[in-house]
Amino acid sequence: MRPSTLRTLKRAAELTRQNRLTEAVLIAEPVILAADSYEGDEILRWLADHVTDFTGENDEETR
């Protein structure tokens, strides 16, 4: 995944934790839509692996 894509996803996670979902979507959506199929797969894996980055919970809290 391109470094700029990763930075955008991390920033979207930060905004989501701050209850700024609209802003998070506004910055992440264009990056996700512009991704080719390979990077899109990487984005999906990253999102699945980093769900708690968006919720602000850690793995121990969700168990």
Side-chain angles (χ1 to χ4, degrees):
M1 165 178 352
R2 292 176 291 161
S4 60
T5 300
L6 182 57
R7 278 193 306 274
T8 300
L9 294 174
K10 288 180 177 181
R11 179 64 178 144
E14 181 182 326
L15 290 168
T16 301
R17 287 191 308 273
Q18 297 171 2
N19 293 321
R20 296 166 59 188
L21 183 60
T22 302
E23 291 172 72
V25 171
L26 286 174
I27 67 163
E29 184 179 32
V31 172
I32 293 168
L33 292 176
D36 61 19
S37 62
Y38 178 76
E39 188 174 39
D41 290 343
E42 289 181 317
I43 291 170
L44 287 174
R45 279 192 301 277
W46 189 90
L47 290 171
D49 291 343
H50 293 87
V51 169
T52 57
D53 291 357
F54 289 84
T55 63
E57 299 173 345
N58 61 38
D59 289 335
E60 289 79 32
E61 290 177 352
T62 58
R63 291 182 185 166

PDB file of all heavy atoms in Angstrom, residues 1-4 9-12 22-23 25-27 29-31 38-39 42 51 55-56 58 62-63:
ATOM      1  N   MET A   1       0.851  -1.171   0.000  1.00  0.00           N
ATOM      2  CA  MET A   1       0.000   0.000   0.000  1.00  0.00           C
ATOM      3  C   MET A   1       0.899   1.236   0.000  1.00  0.00           C
ATOM      4  O   MET A   1       1.937   1.256   0.653  1.00  0.00           O
ATOM      5  CB  MET A   1      -0.905  -0.069   1.234  1.00  0.00           C
ATOM      6  CG  MET A   1      -1.596   1.164   1.604  1.00  0.00           C
ATOM      7  SD  MET A   1      -2.722   1.095   3.038  1.00  0.00           S
ATOM      8  CE  MET A   1      -2.865  -0.578   3.494  1.00  0.00           C
ATOM      9  N   ARG A   2       0.479   2.219  -0.727  1.00  0.00           N
ATOM     10  CA  ARG A   2       1.260   3.460  -0.791  1.00  0.00           C
ATOM     11  C   ARG A   2       1.278   4.143   0.575  1.00  0.00           C
ATOM     12  O   ARG A   2       0.284   4.096   1.311  1.00  0.00           O
ATOM     13  CB  ARG A   2       0.662   4.411  -1.823  1.00  0.00           C
ATOM     14  CG  ARG A   2       0.792   3.921  -3.240  1.00  0.00           C
ATOM     15  CD  ARG A   2       0.111   4.839  -4.207  1.00  0.00           C
ATOM     16  NE  ARG A   2      -1.338   4.723  -3.979  1.00  0.00           N
ATOM     17  CZ  ARG A   2      -2.229   5.603  -4.374  1.00  0.00           C
ATOM     18  NH1 ARG A   2      -1.855   6.686  -5.011  1.00  0.00           N
ATOM     19  NH2 ARG A   2      -3.511   5.422  -4.146  1.00  0.00           N
ATOM     20  N   PRO A   3       2.394   4.768   0.923  1.00  0.00           N
ATOM     21  CA  PRO A   3       2.476   5.475   2.207  1.00  0.00           C
ATOM     22  C   PRO A   3       1.383   6.537   2.370  1.00  0.00           C
ATOM     23  O   PRO A   3       0.845   6.707   3.468  1.00  0.00           O
ATOM     24  CB  PRO A   3       3.871   6.115   2.174  1.00  0.00           C
ATOM     25  CG  PRO A   3       4.660   5.250   1.250  1.00  0.00           C
ATOM     26  CD  PRO A   3       3.674   4.773   0.212  1.00  0.00           C
ATOM     27  N   SER A   4       1.023   7.210   1.294  1.00  0.00           N
ATOM     28  CA  SER A   4      -0.023   8.236   1.386  1.00  0.00           C
ATOM     29  C   SER A   4      -1.379   7.617   1.719  1.00  0.00           C
ATOM     30  O   SER A   4      -2.177   8.212   2.463  1.00  0.00           O
ATOM     31  CB  SER A   4      -0.112   9.041   0.092  1.00  0.00           C
ATOM     32  OG  SER A   4      -0.407   8.197  -0.998  1.00  0.00           O
ATOM     33  N   LEU A   9      -5.617   6.501   5.870  1.00  0.00           N
ATOM     34  CA  LEU A   9      -6.408   5.567   6.679  1.00  0.00           C
ATOM     35  C   LEU A   9      -6.191   5.807   8.169  1.00  0.00           C
ATOM     36  O   LEU A   9      -7.140   5.778   8.960  1.00  0.00           O
ATOM     37  CB  LEU A   9      -6.067   4.126   6.313  1.00  0.00           C
ATOM     38  CG  LEU A   9      -6.453   3.683   4.906  1.00  0.00           C
ATOM     39  CD1 LEU A   9      -5.929   2.277   4.631  1.00  0.00           C
ATOM     40  CD2 LEU A   9      -7.956   3.756   4.703  1.00  0.00           C
ATOM     41  N   LYS A  10      -4.952   6.056   8.551  1.00  0.00           N
ATOM     42  CA  LYS A  10      -4.659   6.328   9.968  1.00  0.00           C
ATOM     43  C   LYS A  10      -5.328   7.627  10.412  1.00  0.00           C
ATOM     44  O   LYS A  10      -5.854   7.714  11.525  1.00  0.00           O
ATOM     45  CB  LYS A  10      -3.157   6.388  10.200  1.00  0.00           C
ATOM     46  CG  LYS A  10      -2.494   5.028  10.122  1.00  0.00           C
ATOM     47  CD  LYS A  10      -0.998   5.132  10.358  1.00  0.00           C
ATOM     48  CE  LYS A  10      -0.346   3.763  10.357  1.00  0.00           C
ATOM     49  NZ  LYS A  10       1.109   3.865  10.613  1.00  0.00           N
ATOM     50  N   ARG A  11      -5.312   8.625   9.552  1.00  0.00           N
ATOM     51  CA  ARG A  11      -5.963   9.897   9.886  1.00  0.00           C
ATOM     52  C   ARG A  11      -7.478   9.713   9.986  1.00  0.00           C
ATOM     53  O   ARG A  11      -8.131  10.260  10.884  1.00  0.00           O
ATOM     54  CB  ARG A  11      -5.630  10.967   8.834  1.00  0.00           C
ATOM     55  CG  ARG A  11      -6.279  12.296   9.076  1.00  0.00           C
ATOM     56  CD  ARG A  11      -5.793  12.953  10.355  1.00  0.00           C
ATOM     57  NE  ARG A  11      -6.439  14.259  10.496  1.00  0.00           N
ATOM     58  CZ  ARG A  11      -6.812  14.769  11.646  1.00  0.00           C
ATOM     59  NH1 ARG A  11      -6.552  14.133  12.771  1.00  0.00           N
ATOM     60  NH2 ARG A  11      -7.398  15.942  11.702  1.00  0.00           N
ATOM     61  N   ALA A  12      -8.051   8.922   9.090  1.00  0.00           N
ATOM     62  CA  ALA A  12      -9.487   8.643   9.154  1.00  0.00           C
ATOM     63  C   ALA A  12      -9.838   7.928  10.453  1.00  0.00           C
ATOM     64  O   ALA A  12     -10.876   8.214  11.065  1.00  0.00           O
ATOM     65  CB  ALA A  12      -9.925   7.815   7.954  1.00  0.00           C
ATOM     66  N   THR A  22     -17.892  12.200   9.493  1.00  0.00           N
ATOM     67  CA  THR A  22     -18.066  12.827   8.175  1.00  0.00           C
ATOM     68  C   THR A  22     -16.719  13.227   7.588  1.00  0.00           C
ATOM     69  O   THR A  22     -16.439  12.958   6.411  1.00  0.00           O
ATOM     70  CB  THR A  22     -18.986  14.057   8.274  1.00  0.00           C
ATOM     71  OG1 THR A  22     -20.246  13.643   8.818  1.00  0.00           O
ATOM     72  CG2 THR A  22     -19.204  14.700   6.918  1.00  0.00           C
ATOM     73  N   GLU A  23     -15.875  13.845   8.395  1.00  0.00           N
ATOM     74  CA  GLU A  23     -14.552  14.237   7.924  1.00  0.00           C
ATOM     75  C   GLU A  23     -13.704  13.013   7.568  1.00  0.00           C
ATOM     76  O   GLU A  23     -12.968  13.029   6.581  1.00  0.00           O
ATOM     77  CB  GLU A  23     -13.831  15.062   8.980  1.00  0.00           C
ATOM     78  CG  GLU A  23     -14.431  16.426   9.202  1.00  0.00           C
ATOM     79  CD  GLU A  23     -13.798  17.122  10.378  1.00  0.00           C
ATOM     80  OE1 GLU A  23     -12.636  17.547  10.244  1.00  0.00           O
ATOM     81  OE2 GLU A  23     -14.463  17.227  11.422  1.00  0.00           O
ATOM     82  N   VAL A  25     -14.730  10.113   6.477  1.00  0.00           N
ATOM     83  CA  VAL A  25     -15.196   9.575   5.195  1.00  0.00           C
ATOM     84  C   VAL A  25     -14.746  10.473   4.046  1.00  0.00           C
ATOM     85  O   VAL A  25     -14.307   9.991   3.002  1.00  0.00           O
ATOM     86  CB  VAL A  25     -16.733   9.406   5.196  1.00  0.00           C
ATOM     87  CG1 VAL A  25     -17.243   9.063   3.810  1.00  0.00           C
ATOM     88  CG2 VAL A  25     -17.141   8.334   6.197  1.00  0.00           C
ATOM     89  N   LEU A  26     -14.818  11.773   4.243  1.00  0.00           N
ATOM     90  CA  LEU A  26     -14.428  12.707   3.188  1.00  0.00           C
ATOM     91  C   LEU A  26     -12.969  12.560   2.776  1.00  0.00           C
ATOM     92  O   LEU A  26     -12.629  12.736   1.605  1.00  0.00           O
ATOM     93  CB  LEU A  26     -14.709  14.147   3.612  1.00  0.00           C
ATOM     94  CG  LEU A  26     -16.171  14.566   3.602  1.00  0.00           C
ATOM     95  CD1 LEU A  26     -16.334  15.976   4.200  1.00  0.00           C
ATOM     96  CD2 LEU A  26     -16.745  14.531   2.200  1.00  0.00           C
ATOM     97  N   ILE A  27     -12.095  12.240   3.725  1.00  0.00           N
ATOM     98  CA  ILE A  27     -10.688  12.089   3.335  1.00  0.00           C
ATOM     99  C   ILE A  27     -10.365  10.670   2.866  1.00  0.00           C
ATOM    100  O   ILE A  27      -9.503  10.482   2.018  1.00  0.00           O
ATOM    101  CB  ILE A  27      -9.712  12.524   4.448  1.00  0.00           C
ATOM    102  CG1 ILE A  27      -9.781  11.599   5.662  1.00  0.00           C
ATOM    103  CG2 ILE A  27      -9.924  13.964   4.835  1.00  0.00           C
ATOM    104  CD1 ILE A  27      -8.598  11.738   6.579  1.00  0.00           C
ATOM    105  N   GLU A  29     -12.597   8.241   1.508  1.00  0.00           N
ATOM    106  CA  GLU A  29     -13.326   7.722   0.350  1.00  0.00           C
ATOM    107  C   GLU A  29     -12.589   7.917  -0.982  1.00  0.00           C
ATOM    108  O   GLU A  29     -12.467   6.961  -1.748  1.00  0.00           O
ATOM    109  CB  GLU A  29     -14.723   8.336   0.279  1.00  0.00           C
ATOM    110  CG  GLU A  29     -15.552   7.759  -0.850  1.00  0.00           C
ATOM    111  CD  GLU A  29     -16.944   8.358  -0.913  1.00  0.00           C
ATOM    112  OE1 GLU A  29     -17.108   9.549  -0.570  1.00  0.00           O
ATOM    113  OE2 GLU A  29     -17.856   7.629  -1.312  1.00  0.00           O
ATOM    114  N   PRO A  30     -12.073   9.105  -1.286  1.00  0.00           N
ATOM    115  CA  PRO A  30     -11.386   9.259  -2.580  1.00  0.00           C
ATOM    116  C   PRO A  30     -10.160   8.352  -2.724  1.00  0.00           C
ATOM    117  O   PRO A  30      -9.897   7.834  -3.806  1.00  0.00           O
ATOM    118  CB  PRO A  30     -10.974  10.736  -2.601  1.00  0.00           C
ATOM    119  CG  PRO A  30     -11.788  11.402  -1.562  1.00  0.00           C
ATOM    120  CD  PRO A  30     -12.156  10.362  -0.564  1.00  0.00           C
ATOM    121  N   VAL A  31      -9.450   8.152  -1.631  1.00  0.00           N
ATOM    122  CA  VAL A  31      -8.264   7.292  -1.663  1.00  0.00           C
ATOM    123  C   VAL A  31      -8.670   5.846  -1.912  1.00  0.00           C
ATOM    124  O   VAL A  31      -8.054   5.138  -2.712  1.00  0.00           O
ATOM    125  CB  VAL A  31      -7.479   7.437  -0.341  1.00  0.00           C
ATOM    126  CG1 VAL A  31      -6.364   6.423  -0.242  1.00  0.00           C
ATOM    127  CG2 VAL A  31      -6.940   8.849  -0.208  1.00  0.00           C
ATOM    128  N   TYR A  38      -5.164  -4.406  -6.460  1.00  0.00           N
ATOM    129  CA  TYR A  38      -4.143  -4.884  -5.517  1.00  0.00           C
ATOM    130  C   TYR A  38      -4.145  -4.035  -4.248  1.00  0.00           C
ATOM    131  O   TYR A  38      -4.192  -4.559  -3.141  1.00  0.00           O
ATOM    132  CB  TYR A  38      -2.757  -4.866  -6.179  1.00  0.00           C
ATOM    133  CG  TYR A  38      -1.663  -5.308  -5.253  1.00  0.00           C
ATOM    134  CD1 TYR A  38      -1.485  -6.658  -4.954  1.00  0.00           C
ATOM    135  CD2 TYR A  38      -0.810  -4.387  -4.649  1.00  0.00           C
ATOM    136  CE1 TYR A  38      -0.496  -7.071  -4.085  1.00  0.00           C
ATOM    137  CE2 TYR A  38       0.181  -4.788  -3.781  1.00  0.00           C
ATOM    138  CZ  TYR A  38       0.339  -6.134  -3.503  1.00  0.00           C
ATOM    139  OH  TYR A  38       1.317  -6.538  -2.636  1.00  0.00           O
ATOM    140  N   GLU A  39      -4.101  -2.711  -4.420  1.00  0.00           N
ATOM    141  CA  GLU A  39      -4.102  -1.848  -3.246  1.00  0.00           C
ATOM    142  C   GLU A  39      -5.444  -1.936  -2.516  1.00  0.00           C
ATOM    143  O   GLU A  39      -5.492  -1.876  -1.286  1.00  0.00           O
ATOM    144  CB  GLU A  39      -3.804  -0.396  -3.626  1.00  0.00           C
ATOM    145  CG  GLU A  39      -3.611   0.480  -2.410  1.00  0.00           C
ATOM    146  CD  GLU A  39      -3.185   1.890  -2.727  1.00  0.00           C
ATOM    147  OE1 GLU A  39      -3.688   2.468  -3.712  1.00  0.00           O
ATOM    148  OE2 GLU A  39      -2.356   2.417  -1.974  1.00  0.00           O
ATOM    149  N   GLU A  42      -5.224  -4.701  -0.177  1.00  0.00           N
ATOM    150  CA  GLU A  42      -4.408  -4.327   0.978  1.00  0.00           C
ATOM    151  C   GLU A  42      -5.193  -3.437   1.941  1.00  0.00           C
ATOM    152  O   GLU A  42      -5.083  -3.585   3.163  1.00  0.00           O
ATOM    153  CB  GLU A  42      -3.149  -3.591   0.525  1.00  0.00           C
ATOM    154  CG  GLU A  42      -2.130  -4.466  -0.159  1.00  0.00           C
ATOM    155  CD  GLU A  42      -0.902  -3.659  -0.554  1.00  0.00           C
ATOM    156  OE1 GLU A  42      -1.059  -2.528  -1.062  1.00  0.00           O
ATOM    157  OE2 GLU A  42       0.206  -4.182  -0.353  1.00  0.00           O
ATOM    158  N   VAL A  51      -9.528  -2.611  13.091  1.00  0.00           N
ATOM    159  CA  VAL A  51     -10.874  -2.170  13.488  1.00  0.00           C
ATOM    160  C   VAL A  51     -10.813  -1.358  14.769  1.00  0.00           C
ATOM    161  O   VAL A  51     -11.466  -0.314  14.890  1.00  0.00           O
ATOM    162  CB  VAL A  51     -11.814  -3.384  13.658  1.00  0.00           C
ATOM    163  CG1 VAL A  51     -13.114  -2.986  14.325  1.00  0.00           C
ATOM    164  CG2 VAL A  51     -12.072  -4.031  12.319  1.00  0.00           C
ATOM    165  N   THR A  55     -12.442   2.293  16.544  1.00  0.00           N
ATOM    166  CA  THR A  55     -13.358   2.290  17.685  1.00  0.00           C
ATOM    167  C   THR A  55     -12.722   2.850  18.948  1.00  0.00           C
ATOM    168  O   THR A  55     -13.436   3.245  19.864  1.00  0.00           O
ATOM    169  CB  THR A  55     -13.840   0.861  17.995  1.00  0.00           C
ATOM    170  OG1 THR A  55     -12.711   0.062  18.376  1.00  0.00           O
ATOM    171  CG2 THR A  55     -14.546   0.245  16.803  1.00  0.00           C
ATOM    172  N   GLY A  56     -11.390   2.855  18.996  1.00  0.00           N
ATOM    173  CA  GLY A  56     -10.702   3.319  20.193  1.00  0.00           C
ATOM    174  C   GLY A  56     -10.645   2.273  21.281  1.00  0.00           C
ATOM    175  O   GLY A  56     -10.157   2.528  22.373  1.00  0.00           O
ATOM    176  N   ASN A  58      -9.390  -1.513  22.791  1.00  0.00           N
ATOM    177  CA  ASN A  58      -8.297  -2.450  22.567  1.00  0.00           C
ATOM    178  C   ASN A  58      -8.849  -3.858  22.632  1.00  0.00           C
ATOM    179  O   ASN A  58      -9.992  -4.078  23.031  1.00  0.00           O
ATOM    180  CB  ASN A  58      -7.142  -2.232  23.548  1.00  0.00           C
ATOM    181  CG  ASN A  58      -7.562  -2.432  24.999  1.00  0.00           C
ATOM    182  OD1 ASN A  58      -8.347  -3.299  25.303  1.00  0.00           O
ATOM    183  ND2 ASN A  58      -7.013  -1.625  25.891  1.00  0.00           N
ATOM    184  N   THR A  62     -12.726  -5.788  24.256  1.00  0.00           N
ATOM    185  CA  THR A  62     -13.783  -6.385  23.452  1.00  0.00           C
ATOM    186  C   THR A  62     -14.036  -7.838  23.783  1.00  0.00           C
ATOM    187  O   THR A  62     -14.954  -8.437  23.273  1.00  0.00           O
ATOM    188  CB  THR A  62     -13.450  -6.255  21.948  1.00  0.00           C
ATOM    189  OG1 THR A  62     -12.199  -6.887  21.679  1.00  0.00           O
ATOM    190  CG2 THR A  62     -13.405  -4.795  21.532  1.00  0.00           C
ATOM    191  N   ARG A  63     -13.213  -8.402  24.630  1.00  0.00           N
ATOM    192  CA  ARG A  63     -13.391  -9.828  24.983  1.00  0.00           C
ATOM    193  C   ARG A  63     -14.218 -10.010  26.199  1.00  0.00           C
ATOM    194  O   ARG A  63     -14.464  -9.266  27.000  1.00  0.00           O
ATOM    195  CB  ARG A  63     -12.018 -10.485  25.204  1.00  0.00           C
ATOM    196  CG  ARG A  63     -11.271 -10.581  23.908  1.00  0.00           C
ATOM    197  CD  ARG A  63      -9.960 -11.255  24.122  1.00  0.00           C
ATOM    198  NE  ARG A  63      -9.261 -11.184  22.845  1.00  0.00           N
ATOM    199  CZ  ARG A  63      -7.994 -11.429  22.689  1.00  0.00           C
ATOM    200  NH1 ARG A  63      -7.263 -11.747  23.720  1.00  0.00           N
ATOM    201  NH2 ARG A  63      -7.429 -11.345  21.530  1.00  0.00           N
TER     202      ARG A  63
END
